Amino acid sequence: MLVCTRPAHATTALVLRPVQSSPELTEALFRLQGELLAVGLDVEVDARPAGFGSDTIEMNAWSEQMATERGIDAIIDLVGYPRPLGVDVWIFQSASRRFSASRVLLEPSTPNASETLAIRAIEVLRANFLVFDVADKHQRDERQPEPVHEPAREAPEAVSRFGVAAGATLLTSTDSVGPAIQPLVRVDWKLWPGLAAEGTFSGFGTRPTVETEAGSVRVAQDYGVVGLRYSVPSDSLLAGFLTLSAGALHTTLDGSGDSPNQGQRVKQWAFLAEGSLGARLELSTRYSLCLAGHVQWAAPYAAIHFVDTQVATTGHPNLAASLAVGAWL
């Protein structure tokens, strides 16, 4: 039986990578690959021919060339930008030696569009593969060189709406309080394309010192804010963003006076408003590097006095720069 057994030939699907990219299209592309691999199909990914419409002579000729040269049985093409609105499924018909196309469209308000498109595409493939001419498929495979078996590929996972980031903040005052370096933790939640909610905490870092002839004071500042982030649409890996946030600032002033003066320890909570402007570099579909500048305004702000003289303030305003590495879970 082992000698007489002939190799089984899996059906091959070609997923076209869109000419224009966006986070939503990238998520849909990975979801399609995962679903196709999960049902046992061989999956290839290639760039979509630029300038070809979905139902043109050029597209038909290119599809037939793929079937002849690479043994492609189905071609899947995402429709819509920046959010996928549908998918074209091209099925190779062995009898006519041509491709037939089926288009699946979604309502704009459809939740989980990427997942729904992948499921609809699988349904179309299942319905058409049942009538495939298997004998003809074997004949085409026998005319081609024996394929080299590649290691099994794991199905890519869809990008989540929830993300986390970790990094560091350089925080300083504009009035005589030096810079502090402190850890930063951020959580993100995608709301709509280009819009996300985020929560940030930064604190427990270095404590700059303000010194005078009358004594010195160490300044510690911890803060947490929540806000909305708008990312500028971009086809490249680098995209700018703007964030508006609000939260709380906790300031600790630990004073030490030279005799006969005495130092005091003061703690203060204040409302904090923050505006951020930065850029995000996509390292992969899940990981990114984020660099941002921040302006903070506290109410009430903290003022540092030695005897009867004000020598510095903090939070009136503060300036910060942050660098963080993020991941979508």
Side-chain angles (χ1 to χ4, degrees):
M1 291 178 63
L2 292 176
V3 172
C4 297
T5 300
R6 67 184 300 168
H9 301 278
T11 301
T12 302
L14 175 63
V15 180
L16 298 183
R17 187 184 303 111
V19 177
Q20 295 178 299
S21 63
S22 69
E24 291 75 18
L25 287 175
T26 300
E27 180 179 351
L29 182 67
F30 277 98
R31 172 72 72 172
L32 278 171
Q33 294 179 64
E35 294 291 345
L36 292 171
L37 289 170
V39 297
L41 301 182
D42 285 342
V43 181
E44 297 183 12
V45 180
D46 205 343
R48 191 189 193 284
F52 288 4
S54 298
D55 189 13
T56 61
I57 297 177
E58 293 82 0
M59 187 65 183
N60 292 332
W62 182 85
S63 301
E64 294 169 11
Q65 182 181 2
M66 291 296 100
T68 302
E69 296 180 356
R70 296 168 56 175
I72 301 299
D73 300 296
I75 298 177
I76 300 178
D77 187 16
L78 290 171
V79 177
Y81 176 82
R83 183 177 184 270
L85 301 178
V87 63
D88 284 337
V89 182
W90 299 70
I91 306 294
F92 183 78
Q93 304 294 335
S94 57
S96 62
R97 313 295 296 177
R98 298 179 64 85
F99 274 87
S100 63
S102 300
R103 170 165 290 191
V104 177
L105 294 177
L106 298 180
E107 294 294 333
S109 59
T110 300
N112 300 323
S114 298
E115 180 178 0
T116 304
L117 279 178
I119 294 174
R120 297 282 181 83
I122 293 297
E123 292 175 351
V124 173
L125 291 175
R126 285 186 185 276
N128 285 272
F129 285 159
L130 292 176
V131 298
F132 256 61
D133 187 350
V134 180
D136 182 73
K137 176 67 167 63
H138 288 168
Q139 293 174 5
R140 289 191 288 120
D141 289 334
E142 290 172 355
R143 291 195 295 268
Q144 298 176 356
E146 186 69 21
V148 177
H149 296 284
E150 300 180 353
R153 295 169 290 180
E154 295 183 0
E157 300 177 358
V159 178
S160 170
R161 290 181 176 272
F162 177 74
V164 296
T169 301
L170 180 67
L171 179 67
T172 186
S173 167
T174 58
D175 186 13
S176 302
V177 178
I181 301 177
Q182 48 198 46
L184 174 146
V185 177
R186 189 182 69 243
V187 295
D188 301 286
W189 183 262
K190 286 184 179 179
L191 301 176
W192 293 281
L195 187 65
E198 67 175 39
T200 304
F201 173 79
S202 183
F204 304 109
T206 60
R207 298 185 175 188
T209 301
V210 179
E211 297 185 352
T212 69
E213 296 179 354
S216 63
V217 60
R218 298 180 66 192
V219 182
Q221 297 181 93
D222 310 318
Y223 69 89
V225 291
V226 294
L228 292 176
R229 181 182 71 244
Y230 172 73
S231 298
V232 180
S234 174
D235 294 334
S236 65
L237 298 179
L238 187 65
F241 64 86
L242 172 67
T243 307
L244 297 178
S245 307
L249 172 68
H250 183 252
T251 304
T252 301
L253 304 178
D254 194 357
S256 176
D258 297 333
S259 182
N261 301 315
Q262 294 183 348
Q264 294 182 349
R265 182 179 177 86
V266 178
K267 296 183 179 181
Q268 174 179 286
W269 285 94
F271 169 79
L272 185 67
E274 180 184 81
S276 307
L277 187 64
R280 183 184 305 273
L281 176 63
E282 299 295 338
L283 304 178
S284 68
T285 56
R286 289 189 177 275
Y287 299 98
S288 61
L289 183 66
C290 180
L291 176 64
H294 315 267
V295 178
Q296 300 177 343
W297 194 277
Y301 64 88
I304 301 174
H305 293 79
F306 284 93
V307 189
D308 296 327
T309 304
Q310 177 177 306
V311 298
T313 62
T314 180
H316 191 63
N318 283 345
L319 301 179
S322 64
L323 180 65
V325 176
W328 294 104
L329 304 181

